[in-house]
């Protein structure tokens, strides 16, 4: 059974750096084609993809946020960390991590299991 | 930029068929995926690769795609299907972007 859980500060100040941790179980980032992604959702608004990291350390980022994001993994501890620099009130959102499943038939991957999300508020 | 466009809202009566569309220029080359998000909950995958239904998702949920438009159909919508629905796709050309649509609020009443 795949589970993921996000953790981190509920409140950050403008200009600070946000660090979120995704702790997961039921799969390993040592397994080929597996990945973990980050998605956020401002209150009352749509989902926005942020970043993914793959088993082979390949990283992909949203073009609009590329300069502010870094994603890393600790395979031995089954966790992925997202850092976002220079936080602003518009970054207030629920941040989700999700398991990325690769479908050999379609040659595409997609998010099939999600964490419960963690609300981050940016305010002074 | 790569975008997916959805209608903001769709409303049906219980038992009717609900159709939610998703338009995007890259859809002819990439599959569409659909997520259901009920209030206060994380998204749940209901359709993958345009037409496939994950285990545990009721048969009333189906997907189709033609040209630049993908469609999620809920045949015989139930009150418990009331939720926000998001389409999702990837653009694997160039920088490999992933995009969600703006979401559609489905009301069943």
């Amino acid at each position: 059974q795949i589970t993921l859980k996000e953790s981190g500060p509920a409140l950050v100040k403008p200009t600070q750096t946000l660090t979120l941790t995704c702790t997961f179980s039921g799969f390993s980032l040592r397994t080929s084609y597996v990945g973990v992604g980050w998605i956020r959702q401002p209150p009352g608004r749509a989902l926005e993809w942020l970043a993914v990291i793959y088993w082979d350390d390949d990283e992909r980022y949203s073009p609009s946020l590329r300069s502010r994001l870094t994603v890393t993994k600790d395979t031995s501890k089954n966790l992925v960390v997202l850092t976002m620099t220079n936080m602003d009130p518009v970054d207030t959102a629920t941040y989700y991590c999700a398991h990325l499943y690769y479908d050999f038939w379609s040659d595409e991957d997609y998010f099939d299991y999600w964490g419960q999300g963690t609300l981050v508020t940016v305010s002074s | 930029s790569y975008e997916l466009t959805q209608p903001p809202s769709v409303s049906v009566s219980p038992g009717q068929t609900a159709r939610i569309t998703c338009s995007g220029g890259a859809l002819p080359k990439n599959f569409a995926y659909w997520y259901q998000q009920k209030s206060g909950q994380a998204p749940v995958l209901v359709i993958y690769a345009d037409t496939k239904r994950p285990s545990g998702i009721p048969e009333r949920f189906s997907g189709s795609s033609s040209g630049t438009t993908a469609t999620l159909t809920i045949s015989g919508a139930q009150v418990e299907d009331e939720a926000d629905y998001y389409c999702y796709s990837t653009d694997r050309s160039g920088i490999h972007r992933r995009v969600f649509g703006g979401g559609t609020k489905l009301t069943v009443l």
Side-chain angles (χ1 to χ4, degrees):
Chain A
Q1 179 188 4
I2 291 176
T3 64
L4 306 99
K5 186 173 184 180
E6 307 85 352
S7 59
L11 179 67
V12 297
K13 294 182 180 342
T15 75
Q16 286 187 336
T17 293
L18 170 68
T19 299
L20 294 174
T21 301
C22 174
T23 305
F24 57 85
S25 63
F27 68 95
S28 172
L29 273 171
R30 290 190 176 96
T31 303
S32 297
Y33 303 102
V34 171
V36 171
W38 287 93
I39 304 100
R40 71 178 180 179
Q41 184 174 36
R45 301 188 63 181
L47 300 167
E48 179 184 19
W49 169 66
L50 300 177
V52 298
I53 187 165
Y54 292 93
W55 88 102
D56 61 355
D57 293 323
D58 188 17
E59 303 162 29
R60 304 282 175 166
Y61 297 96
S62 167
S64 61
L65 294 167
R66 175 67 177 91
S67 62
R68 300 173 53 205
L69 295 172
T70 303
V71 60
T72 60
K73 63 182 177 66
D74 187 327
T75 303
S76 64
K77 295 182 179 179
N78 279 357
L79 62 84
V80 170
V81 176
L82 177 76
T83 60
M84 179 180 290
T85 61
N86 194 25
M87 293 293 284
D88 183 271
V90 299
D91 297 313
T92 293
T94 296
Y95 287 75
Y96 295 97
C97 64
H99 173 262
L100 197 62
Y101 173 79
Y102 178 73
D103 185 347
F104 285 87
W105 174 83
S106 64
D107 190 27
E108 290 191 1
D109 52 26
Y110 55 92
F111 303 112
D112 58 349
Y113 292 92
W114 296 58
Q116 63 190 22
T118 185
L119 176 62
V120 177
T121 300
V122 184
S123 175
S124 56
Chain B
S1 64
Y2 179 34
E3 296 181 350
L4 297 175
T5 301
Q6 299 180 235
S9 63
V10 168
S11 182
V12 298
S13 299
Q16 288 188 329
T17 296
R19 294 182 179 86
I20 300 172
T21 59
C22 173
S23 299
L27 287 179
K29 298 181 181 178
N30 300 281
F31 287 106
Y33 302 79
W34 292 92
Y35 293 91
Q36 175 194 67
Q37 186 180 35
K38 295 183 178 179
S39 181
Q41 299 182 19
V44 172
L45 181 71
V46 294
I47 293 290
Y48 66 98
D50 285 349
T51 62
K52 301 183 183 304
R53 192 174 55 248
S55 61
I57 300 301
E59 291 184 6
R60 62 181 180 272
F61 288 87
S62 64
S64 62
S65 187
S66 178
T68 59
T69 300
T71 302
L72 172 69
T73 301
I74 307 172
S75 303
Q78 307 293 309
V79 172
E80 59 263 33
D81 299 330
E82 187 163 294
D84 293 323
Y85 290 85
Y86 293 91
C87 62
Y88 164 86
S89 189
T90 61
D91 178 10
R92 290 176 293 169
S93 62
I95 55 177
H96 198 127
R97 292 168 293 188
R98 302 167 182 277
V99 179
F100 289 92
T104 299
K105 170 65 178 179
L106 174 65
T107 302
V108 183
L109 53 74

